[in-house]
Amino acid sequence: MRVLIVEDERSMALEMEAFLKNASYLCDLAFTARQGLKQMEESAYDFILLDLGLPDKDGLEVLQQAKKCCPEASYIILTARGDLEDRIKGLDLGADDYLPKPFSLLELLSRIQAITRRKSGWKDSVMELGEFLFDMRHRRIMFGKEEVPLSKKEFDLLHYLVLHKNRPLTRLQLSEHIWGSFSDDDYDSNYIDVHIKNIRKKLSAFASAEWLQTIRGIGYKIKAVD
Amino acid sequence: MKLINKLTLFITLSKLVIVLLFVGLLPKLVHEAAARFTDNSLREQQKKVVREVAQRGIDFYLQGEDSYGSYTLLKEEYISLEPGTRPSALPADTIETAMRIVEGDTLNYRVLTHTITYQGKPYILEIGKQESVINRFSRPLQKIALSVLIALVIITILADLIYTRFLLKPLGVIIRSKLVNTQFPFTEKMSLVKTSTSDFQYLDQSLTTLMEKIHRDFEKEREFTSNASHELMTPITILQNRMENLLSEGKLEDEAFLRVEGMMKTLNRLKQIVRSLLLISRIENDQYTKKDIVKIRELLNDVIEELHHRLEGKGLSLSLALSSSMQLSQVNRDLLFQLFYNIINNAIRYNKDNGRITISDSYILGGKYLITISDTGIGIPVNEIASIFERFRKSAHSTEESHGLGLSIVKSIADYHGITLQVRSTPGEGSQFDIVFPWQLVKE
């Protein structure tokens, strides 16, 4: 998978690049709109991560132009402005997703994966976890023919761990994913433990779920074969 | 009172005064006019007699008699010519109202007395006209004059009213188009109202200029918010991403890992503060639409579901007892969600283990709708109640992560929608939040 990161903040672009490289993506960087558009013409990309606040051109205009030269690519808009208007306009112009800054790299990666999965016609959207089958398309986890009755939040939590399997996720990262959209004035990641406890209870009614591991002092991890 | 009504009142009253004045003066005027007219005609007759006497001699009238007298059939007029007796006492030349006895009837006459000297001898000429005849037409005349006047006054009043209405129309247009129907921020381009009245042109021009200035300032403010958020959010993102990379690369010792995680937690607090401040500033800058229709029961259920884990974690019981299937219109759903989320979240956070939260509703006077959220928590000290909505307020009981913006957000959202908030609390027993929706938002 080839990704073009168009972002004027160099250190941010570099962090994104490092993270995505680690997740086996090939990354190119562009720090201006002009540079980005030039690179789009030169090579084909699967993903274009586009910052809307570029110094040399209005982000939405860049998106419009980019869509013309690379209609095949998937676009994720990154913006710090967080205006609802930008988001609607961006999605109207054909962006596949929208991430308001500050965002977590895990969140970025899971959005990329979700788009990939959707565009590939849900290829590889079912995953084996011990004796369970995790079905991302239909948002359920099956034991044989029975569905494990998880709540929406519990499924989201498990889904996030599955997307980042074999990587320990901290309680903070998990709760940010689940409740991050609220300007809540406190933040108690201990509630993640409550959720995990419930998930474990529900799973163990069917079979053991040793693949859902606690990393002492840090958080949780799902162990699965790649 | 409206200007147009004031003008109408003034016009009508002033015309009324004129009519009254006229009605008061009319009899006197008519009487005066009739008297003058009568006097003139008496003089004419006198001249005629004097001429006759000069041409044909006094005997033309006297016919050898001592005196001459004649009156019309209905005694409306009479004429008499008598020799004067004592010349020194003779009335010279007068016109006056006096009583005369004619054929046994005592009648009121307007009498002209004139002394004619003929061949050295004085003769007294009297010509009389009956008063009732003189005043016969005064009443109908007055009536006619009065009705003509009233007709004229009504016509002028109507003309005045139509014209003032026409004249003041631009004012109404200015108020409606520039003030009442415009919503802050004034994004629409203002066009000048067409009027030839320079005062209104001036008013319109000044208003337009003022609003353009406000609009420009607002745009600047909005730009600032947008820029500030960008400037703050970008470094936060960089820090967060860098820490995430550190954590995910798996090269850190356990100790370092925990420290980086601690840094992320701190950064997260910073992020929440910036986000909250931005949210408040966006609400205050009117950047949210209020076009949603919200079913209150569904909204509260969503909030409760979102907070379910916290309720469970503290073993709290929550009862949602709504009496109606109320809907709110012209609101922003996300903001109302946030409002209830923050209040209920507080009710959870400051509750005792295994405590209770009750949500109920009722209609109150004036079609308003009230939602009450009460808890069995630690309550709010009396001296803190007044300041709980202030930014960065922290009570002695606040948790470490709290940044004291939750209720400020609630307040901003409430103000933005015209919602009133009331808080009551008994320390040690619990708090109660009353959320009063104005009737404009209530839709059954």
Side-chain angles (χ1 to χ4, degrees):
Chain A
M1 285 269 188
R2 259 190 110 166
V3 182
L4 174 66
I5 302 167
V6 190
E7 162 69 63
D8 64 314
E9 282 290 337
R10 273 161 204 266
S11 35
M12 211 177 116
L14 289 171
E15 293 302 328
M16 284 196 269
E17 185 194 24
F19 186 84
L20 291 175
K21 265 190 182 154
N22 205 17
S24 319
Y25 288 85
L26 294 171
C27 296
D28 286 337
L29 300 183
F31 303 121
T32 61
R34 207 145 49 115
Q35 201 187 334
L37 288 166
K38 198 169 149 241
Q39 269 166 277
M40 285 176 219
E41 274 168 26
E42 284 166 1
S43 20
Y45 292 98
D46 300 295
F47 273 94
I48 292 169
L49 311 180
L50 179 65
D51 178 23
L52 282 190
L54 292 169
D56 56 335
K57 205 166 192 173
D58 179 69
L60 292 170
E61 232 172 88
V62 179
L63 175 63
Q64 226 165 354
Q65 255 178 295
K67 282 294 280 188
K68 268 184 216 149
C69 88
C70 308
E72 297 297 310
S74 303
Y75 291 83
I76 297 179
I77 301 175
L78 315 171
T79 174
R81 279 186 284 185
D83 286 343
L84 204 61
E85 234 173 274
D86 277 356
R87 176 196 207 127
I88 293 164
K89 272 188 206 150
L91 295 179
D92 274 353
L93 287 175
D96 296 271
D97 211 336
Y98 172 101
L99 261 184
K101 286 181 193 174
F103 54 82
S104 135
L105 291 170
L106 292 171
E107 193 65 49
L108 174 67
L109 182 59
S110 53
R111 302 277 179 108
I112 291 177
Q113 289 179 344
I115 294 169
T116 311
R117 207 163 286 123
R118 204 170 64 222
K119 289 207 168 170
S120 70
W122 298 97
K123 222 174 93 197
D124 305 325
S125 68
V126 178
M127 186 191 240
E128 243 174 78
L129 292 171
E131 295 169 66
F132 297 90
L133 277 182
F134 193 86
D135 181 351
M136 298 179 210
R137 180 178 192 178
H138 301 102
R139 298 181 52 82
R140 61 189 180 186
I141 178 164
M142 307 293 290
F143 179 78
K145 289 199 167 162
E146 277 182 275
E147 187 182 337
V148 182
L150 293 184
S151 75
K152 187 178 164 295
K153 286 261 180 285
E154 287 163 355
F155 185 87
D156 282 345
L157 191 59
L158 210 52
H159 191 187
Y160 205 59
L161 282 161
V162 167
L163 285 178
H164 305 289
K165 59 181 190 275
N166 297 325
R167 186 202 300 263
L169 298 187
T170 65
R171 293 180 179 83
L172 183 75
Q173 286 170 321
L174 288 169
S175 58
E176 198 188 358
H177 172 69
I178 306 247
W179 298 297
S181 58
F182 296 105
S183 286
D184 183 5
D185 64 352
D186 87 336
Y187 185 90
D188 203 340
S189 30
N190 293 331
Y191 288 114
I192 293 296
D193 296 343
V194 178
H195 273 313
I196 296 283
K197 211 174 85 193
N198 286 341
I199 294 171
R200 279 205 173 118
K201 206 156 75 187
K202 287 177 180 174
L203 288 170
S204 62
F206 295 89
S208 93
E210 276 166 12
W211 41 269
L212 177 53
Q213 298 179 334
T214 306
I215 312 295
R216 191 170 294 277
I218 294 169
Y220 299 94
K221 177 171 99 174
I222 280 182
K223 207 170 170 228
V225 272
D226 271 316
Chain B
M1 200 190 260
K2 282 180 78 175
L3 181 58
I4 186 93
N5 295 344
K6 278 193 175 178
L7 277 173
T8 307
L9 202 67
F10 172 75
I11 288 168
T12 318
L13 283 178
S14 65
K15 298 281 150 86
L16 199 67
V17 167
I18 289 174
V19 169
L20 286 178
L21 215 63
F22 188 73
V23 167
L25 288 174
L26 195 58
K28 213 171 144 63
L29 279 175
V30 168
H31 186 78
E32 191 73 20
R36 194 157 296 177
F37 178 75
T38 310
D39 291 359
N40 281 343
S41 82
L42 289 176
R43 283 282 177 221
E44 286 300 317
Q45 277 171 304
Q46 172 214 324
K47 279 180 194 158
K48 205 170 151 195
V49 173
V50 170
R51 214 164 41 237
E52 293 288 348
V53 169
Q55 279 174 10
R56 311 192 187 192
I58 198 92
D59 264 350
F60 176 72
Y61 287 103
L62 294 179
Q63 310 254 328
E65 303 268 341
D66 269 352
S67 62
Y68 164 79
S70 167
Y71 49 83
T72 53
L73 196 63
L74 293 171
K75 304 166 190 166
E76 288 169 346
E77 283 176 306
Y78 79 89
I79 181 165
S80 73
L81 197 60
E82 284 172 8
T85 41
R86 286 172 297 155
S88 59
L90 281 177
D93 186 38
T94 61
I95 297 175
E96 58 186 11
T97 307
M99 309 272 254
R100 289 290 181 273
I101 302 166
V102 179
E103 294 264 308
D105 284 340
T106 313
L107 294 168
N108 237 345
Y109 283 96
R110 186 79 182 160
V111 182
L112 173 139
T113 315
H114 183 70
T115 315
I116 303 174
T117 314
Y118 187 74
Q119 293 175 344
K121 272 177 77 182
Y123 294 90
I124 297 164
L125 172 67
E126 260 193 34
I127 304 170
K129 203 163 199 167
Q130 205 184 309
E131 279 281 317
S132 63
V133 176
I134 297 169
N135 291 329
R136 182 183 293 163
F137 298 109
S138 109
R139 195 153 282 278
L141 249 171
Q142 284 182 38
K143 265 189 192 160
I144 289 168
L146 199 63
S147 25
V148 168
L149 179 76
I150 286 172
L152 285 176
V153 162
I154 287 173
I155 289 169
T156 49
I157 286 180
L158 283 179
D160 286 356
L161 291 185
I162 290 168
Y163 185 63
T164 43
R165 212 152 280 249
F166 169 75
L167 202 64
L168 289 180
K169 210 175 167 190
L171 185 65
V173 175
I174 290 169
I175 289 171
R176 250 177 291 126
S177 68
K178 297 282 154 71
L179 297 175
V180 182
N181 289 341
T182 49
Q183 267 201 343
F184 190 80
F186 321 112
T187 40
E188 282 169 54
K189 184 88 190 103
M190 295 281 172
S191 57
L192 288 177
V193 171
K194 273 185 196 156
T195 170
S196 58
T197 314
S198 58
D199 305 58
F200 290 153
Q201 282 172 353
Y202 184 55
L203 175 69
D204 193 27
Q205 190 75 54
S206 313
L207 273 179
T208 308
T209 316
L210 180 68
M211 285 169 122
E212 275 168 5
K213 187 182 171 336
I214 293 173
H215 181 62
R216 272 200 307 279
D217 289 354
F218 175 73
E219 283 295 311
K220 260 188 218 159
E221 176 87 30
R222 202 208 284 259
E223 218 168 88
F224 173 77
T225 309
S226 161
N227 290 343
S229 72
H230 185 267
E231 295 311 317
L232 286 169
M233 285 307 190
T234 305
I236 290 175
T237 314
I238 295 169
L239 274 179
Q240 179 177 355
N241 292 353
R242 197 159 283 175
M243 290 176 198
E244 270 182 301
N245 272 334
L246 271 177
L247 292 182
S248 69
E249 277 159 11
K251 292 177 197 156
L252 294 178
E253 303 281 316
D254 280 1
E255 161 100 25
F257 191 102
L258 287 179
R259 287 211 172 168
V260 173
E261 212 216 347
M263 280 156 70
M264 273 188 91
K265 276 186 183 161
T266 311
L267 184 67
N268 198 66
R269 266 172 71 187
L270 177 61
K271 202 161 78 179
Q272 295 292 355
I273 292 171
V274 173
R275 266 194 196 147
S276 300
L277 284 176
L278 280 177
L279 178 65
I280 292 172
S281 124
R282 286 202 183 111
I283 295 167
E284 287 175 354
N285 282 346
D286 214 355
Q287 290 182 27
Y288 287 89
T289 56
K290 287 183 275 193
K291 290 178 186 160
D292 299 338
I293 293 176
V294 170
K295 285 185 181 143
I296 202 80
R297 189 187 296 273
E298 281 178 18
L299 180 75
L300 283 170
N301 276 326
D302 287 352
V303 173
I304 292 163
E305 199 201 312
E306 196 68 32
L307 285 164
H308 188 75
H309 61 287
R310 298 194 181 189
L311 286 164
E312 221 170 54
K314 259 193 153 166
L316 302 175
S317 66
L318 185 144
S319 82
L320 177 63
L322 296 185
S323 61
S324 60
S325 53
M326 246 283 306
Q327 287 190 69
L328 298 171
S329 63
Q330 293 177 296
V331 294
N332 184 296
R333 190 187 188 280
D334 293 343
L335 291 182
L336 282 192
F337 186 98
Q338 185 82 61
L339 179 141
F340 284 116
Y341 184 95
N342 287 6
I343 294 177
I344 297 174
N345 191 27
N346 272 358
I348 297 171
R349 190 193 306 146
Y350 297 112
N351 222 316
K352 295 166 183 157
D353 284 347
N354 305 315
R356 228 176 30 252
I357 295 172
T358 316
I359 304 175
S360 60
D361 70 343
S362 61
Y363 285 94
I364 53 174
L365 221 61
K368 293 176 186 168
Y369 177 70
L370 165 77
I371 291 185
T372 303
I373 299 173
S374 51
D375 63 60
T376 55
I378 54 174
I380 307 161
V382 183
N383 59 346
E384 284 183 18
I385 277 204
S387 64
I388 58 166
F389 293 114
E390 282 170 17
R391 288 182 199 176
F392 299 113
R393 169 221 50 117
K394 277 198 180 184
S395 80
H397 304 290
S398 293
T399 49
E400 197 193 329
E401 288 88 355
S402 158
H403 53 56
L405 284 170
L407 287 178
S408 305
I409 292 173
V410 167
K411 183 84 170 75
S412 308
I413 295 173
D415 289 348
Y416 188 57
H417 285 90
I419 296 166
T420 325
L421 298 168
Q422 276 152 11
V423 188
R424 272 167 289 165
S425 182
T426 316
E429 284 179 27
S431 313
Q432 180 177 328
F433 278 76
D434 286 345
I435 305 148
V436 184
F437 294 89
W439 62 269
Q440 290 94 330
L441 302 182
V442 178
K443 188 182 173 194
E444 290 231 35

